[in-house]
Amino acid sequence: MTSITRLSEKCRKCPFVSKCSRKRLEAKGYIEPNFAMSAAIPSAAEMVQPMAVKHNYRDIKIDKDATITIDLEELKRQLEKDFYRQMGIGFYPGA
């Protein structure tokens, strides 16, 4: 992010602008186009990442009238997270 300063609008309109010793400045900030694009790309990639995972759904029959659907990918992530937490390693992937 880059910024520039310039004389305030009130001071620019004043007839005593050249003689005044109490001039006011205003700061204008702007984002360079290359900086804005490079900052947006990683966040967009993180948003797409969960959608790129292939989901593997399974139906588990508990009773003749009750069925539960689970996602095996979510189950794998949860097992991995619990494993690292139980080992006390301190690194919890996806947490």
Side-chain angles (χ1 to χ4, degrees):
M1 187 165 152
T2 309
S3 65
I4 58 171
T5 56
R6 67 176 186 178
L7 200 59
S8 69
E9 187 176 347
K10 182 179 177 183
C11 288
R12 282 183 279 161
K13 291 180 180 178
C14 180
F16 305 106
V17 68
S18 59
K19 299 176 187 175
C20 183
S21 62
R22 296 183 298 163
K23 294 183 177 109
R24 294 182 181 192
L25 297 175
E26 54 189 26
K28 298 287 183 178
Y30 63 93
I31 297 176
E32 297 173 8
N34 292 338
F35 177 75
M37 187 174 10
S38 66
I41 290 171
S43 63
E46 290 172 6
M47 291 172 49
V48 174
Q49 186 179 7
M51 292 186 289
V53 175
K54 183 179 176 185
H55 292 278
N56 192 356
Y57 295 106
R58 299 290 169 108
D59 290 332
I60 299 174
K61 194 167 188 168
I62 296 177
D63 196 10
K64 74 175 176 183
D65 296 331
T67 304
I68 296 176
T69 303
I70 62 167
D71 181 11
L72 291 181
E73 293 301 320
E74 181 65 33
L75 188 61
K76 287 178 190 176
R77 274 182 267 151
Q78 188 63 38
L79 283 170
E80 184 179 10
K81 188 175 174 182
D82 291 342
F83 173 77
Y84 283 114
R85 192 170 280 152
Q86 187 178 20
M87 294 299 289
I89 294 175
F91 169 69
Y92 311 129

